[in-house]
């Protein structure tokens, strides 16, 4: 098949692209750096010509509500118009576990709007909702650092390695559209503060974790970020991943 990976040069997209090529598919890595901009529509028609499947793992450059909402809705509008013109028969979108159960968090609301656009597009689809990536823990810790203290809430997560996310997205792209949602997560549930402690135990840098329920992006989040009983659980454990990274 010819598969266009939107956001194909990023953390997930580059891994998805490699897996699909290994499986024998023709892959186009679509991103602003390769001349394809979903927000403006630039390069979309040429990239999607003859495409069987589109995988969208692109992300907003901002987590703020209005820019994220603008990015996802504008991109979806341009992308689905181009997909219909090209005769694309399967759209795969990457989203977030529990995304529709976190009211008042603007970025998640923008992702819900993206999911709604996927469902209403008329293009057969599959939505893969993933838990937070292992790779996201260190940046969250850095954003929450004050001096030598890393202030993190005990919000429960079931994080997953990006490689496991990429494998699930690639598998979805190679299968028939589900016209539904597939949840994926890691094998273990940890509080975000505990994830910080594990990180600093494996890679000590002089900082210590302080549990602060008011600190950072995940403060006050409802207990919905671990996935439900339907979630497929990957096998890679966070501590093992840290030690080999």
């Amino acid at each position: 098949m010819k598969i266009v990976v939107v956001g194909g040069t990023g953390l997930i997209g580059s891994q998805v692209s490699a897996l699909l090529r290994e499986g024998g598919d023709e892959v186009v890595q679509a991103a602003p750096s390769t001349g394809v901009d979903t927000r403006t529509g630039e390069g979309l028609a040429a990239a999607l010509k003859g495409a069987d499947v589109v995988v969208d793992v692109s992300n907003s450059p901002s987590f703020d509500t209005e820019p994220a909402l603008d990015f996802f809705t504008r991109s979806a509008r341009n992308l689905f118009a181009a997909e219909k013109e090209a005769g694309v028969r399967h759209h795969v979108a990457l989203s977030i576990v529990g995304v529709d159960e976190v009211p008042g968090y603007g970025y998640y609301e923008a992702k819900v709007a993206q999911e709604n656009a996927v469902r209403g597009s008329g293009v057969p689809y599959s939505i893969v909702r993933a838990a937070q990536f292992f790779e996201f823990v260190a940046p969250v810790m850095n954003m929450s650092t004050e001096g030598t203290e890393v202030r993190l809430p005990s919000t429960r997560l079931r994080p997953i390695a990006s490689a496991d996310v990429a494998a699930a997205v690639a598998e979805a792209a190679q299968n028939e559209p589900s016209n539904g949602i597939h949840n994926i997560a890691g094998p273990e549930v940890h509080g975000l503060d505990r994830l910080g402690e594990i990180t600093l135990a494996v890679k000590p840098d002089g900082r210590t974790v302080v549990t602060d329920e008011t600190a950072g992006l995940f403060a006050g989040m409802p207990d919905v970020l671990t996935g439900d009983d339907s979630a497929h659980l990957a096998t890679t454990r966070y501590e093992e991943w840290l030690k080999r990274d």
Side-chain angles (χ1 to χ4, degrees), residues 3-17:
I3 301 178
V4 178
V5 182
V6 180
T9 60
L11 173 66
I12 301 296
S14 58
Q15 295 178 82
V16 170
S17 298

Side-chain angles (χ1 to χ4, degrees), residues 4 15 17 60-61 71 77 91 113 131 138 152 156-158 170 194 204 245:
V4 178
Q15 295 178 82
S17 298
S60 167
F71 174 85
R77 186 162 57 247
H91 180 96
L152 298 170
R156 296 196 323 148
L157 310 175
R158 195 192 290 266
R194 179 58 186 150
D245 183 46

Side-chain angles (χ1 to χ4, degrees), residues 1 3 16 20 53 55 90 92 126 168-176:
M1 294 184 293
I3 301 178
V16 170
L20 292 172
V53 180
V55 174
H90 188 187
V92 179
S126 302
V169 171
E171 182 179 8
Q174 292 170 320
N175 288 332
E176 293 300 312

